Amino acid sequence: MDSMYDDGYLPPILTVDSVIFQIVDGDLQVLLIQRAKEPFKDKWALPGGYNAIGETTQEAMDRVLSDKAGVKTSSLQLVEQLYTFDTIARDPRGHAVSITYMGLGRNVIPEETQKTQKPGFFSVKNLPELAYDHASIIKYAHDRLISKLSYTNAIFALIPELFTLSQLQTAYEAVLGRPLDKRNFRKKFLSLELIHPTDEYIREGAHRPARLHKFNSQKLETLSRSFD
Amino acid sequence: MDSMYDDGYLPPILTVDSVIFQIVDGDLQVLLIQRAKEPFKDKWALPGGYNAIGETTQEAMDRVLSDKAGVKTSSLQLVEQLYTFDTIARDPRGHAVSITYMGLGRNVIPEETQKTQKPGFFSVKNLPELAYDHASIIKYAHDRLISKLSYTNAIFALIPELFTLSQLQTAYEAVLGRPLDKRNFRKKFLSLELIHPTDEYIREGAHRPARLHKFNSQKLETLSRSFD
DNA sequence: GTATGTTTGTGTTCTATTGACACTAACTAT
DNA sequence: ATAGTTAGTGTCAATAGAACACAAACATAC
């Protein structure tokens, strides 16, 4: 036994779970796997697993996400810790504490291996029956994401580096789940000065070509809010 | 050894730390203890300790806060999970994961016992040298609190149940660290419809008495924000 | 009981932001 | 040349935010 436990101290089971979002065809989707073992065998679940000693929770998440869902964290544009859930009853095997992360990506394709458990993206508007309390974790993540869109540039992580303003608006609509006014959206978003136009245009269909824009930064930036 | 560890799985050390705020004389203060043991012996620190098996993190925090700082969670008006920090180097004894909570109270007085470690409240504007990364955790909590004031009724937890509008404003100023305009503050805050006037007045000095107000709810309420 | 000092309580004006709303520009395909 | 489709743009009204000053109500000292 590890000397760290010499004094008889026993920590709870520590797990990580990840909520990975991407937008496909204007639809917000979340990455799920189908559990291969009990408990909740064959039910859909967020990719998650144990956090072993010597691993940070981020490292544990990277490993678990890769092993069980075939998705590399490096293929995501933004990863952020969400919340830490703990309930005695959460895991039928005993007291567990789960640290959850939210990841945002663009065009993420799970690479299936022998270890992966049928990973796939599901529309958040139409989720299958989920294991554990994962439905509420997804809702929590979605709420957080909606909130982040109002005071950060987080949307950059869900759309291509070069994008049209229509793509940008569609991405907002996918996350918010409601339509936005085109002129007001553009006026407002451009006033935030988070993006700049490039001199490239994209022609993709029998209509006027759209100018491509780019975020000033591909890292999370926070806008200031204020009470007074 | 507990059967939960039969398969050789070893979780990291799990700890909880709490950031307890209150306002004293218009000054935002945070609860610290002076560490009795190495590491960081005699340095000031946030009340924290191990999370044992069978305990939720909340329960661990309640216990640790009471044991080391002589403060009962039940004497706080609001407790909220903040963030979970983990670094290999955080604790000299090995890999540790710390779940942090923020607590808000009014007129909190630590009750010293043999087990407490010199608990006391310190102005966040004038902190002593701190153990671990606790200075950054306090900053994180303070930032979160500032942010919460702009879209919740969280301030209720820092002022008496019955309060004057001046007290309310002073509390905001203590947290935000800057003065606010009296008329604008009142107009704005009253428009949120979180509080209502009572028919009581308070006379405390050689001046016009102030009307006492009350929050509609003594629980955390969130106002809606929106992008569009 | 009058004057002084102190905090409470209140409105207006100006500026900035938000929300509603419709047409022309530029391209492809027929 | 025409039809169809998406891109791109401005005005007006309503709401919210920021700056700003004075009278009301009390206690105290004289």
Side-chain angles (χ1 to χ4, degrees), chain B residues 100-115:
Chain B
T100 56
Y101 282 89
M102 174 170 71
L104 306 179
R106 39 178 94 127
N107 201 21
V108 177
I109 300 169
E111 279 190 26
E112 304 211 33
T113 69
Q114 273 106 359
K115 292 166 81 179

Side-chain angles (χ1 to χ4, degrees), chain A residues 5 11 55 57 86 95 225, chain B residues 5 11 55 57 84 86 95 225:
Chain A
Y5 296 88
E55 262 182 340
T57 56
D86 69 330
H95 179 210
R225 285 178 292 179
Chain B
Y5 296 88
E55 262 182 338
T57 57
T84 299
D86 69 331
H95 181 210
R225 286 179 290 178

Side-chain angles (χ1 to χ4, degrees), chain B residues 168-183:
Chain B
L168 180 66
Q169 181 175 342
T170 299
Y172 261 86
E173 291 172 334
V175 177
L176 299 181
R178 64 192 165 88
L180 299 175
D181 178 84
K182 178 157 69 161
R183 280 173 290 187

